[in-house]
Amino acid sequence: MPCKHLTELFELCEKHDLQIAGPDAIRVICRQCEEQEVCPTSLTDGDQVLVPIRAPEAKSLSDPKTSSDASSS
């Protein structure tokens, strides 16, 4: 049974639908309680990330397509 800190971490991951990917078993270590636990399989995607992760697209102010000067011509 994981300590209360690791339990809180696992609950947070489930709440926010966070998945952990890696080719090997992932051990999570609580340095406060000096306990370690293998990451539950419910939080792992195995060695594949299902959706590519990328930064959200932001509109650039210097982009001529979005600037007010381009819309006036």
Side-chain angles (χ1 to χ4, degrees):
M1 185 77 184
C3 70
K4 69 176 186 172
H5 305 107
L6 295 178
T7 301
E8 289 174 9
L9 173 64
F10 298 151
E11 288 172 356
L12 183 68
C13 290
E14 288 177 354
K15 177 182 176 183
H16 294 286
D17 196 24
L18 301 174
Q19 298 288 303
I20 300 169
D24 297 320
I26 298 170
R27 295 193 179 277
V28 183
I29 301 166
C30 176
R31 296 197 186 271
Q32 295 176 39
C33 298
E34 297 182 3
E35 289 191 33
Q36 64 177 328
E37 191 75 26
V38 173
C39 187
T41 56
S42 63
L43 298 179
T44 61
D45 277 340
D47 61 352
Q48 295 182 350
V49 175
L50 301 177
V51 179
I53 299 173
R54 58 189 155 121
E57 294 179 16
K59 292 183 180 180
S60 173
L61 296 176
S62 61
D63 186 355
K65 294 177 187 173
T66 59
S67 69
S68 59
D69 294 27
S71 63
S72 64
S73 36

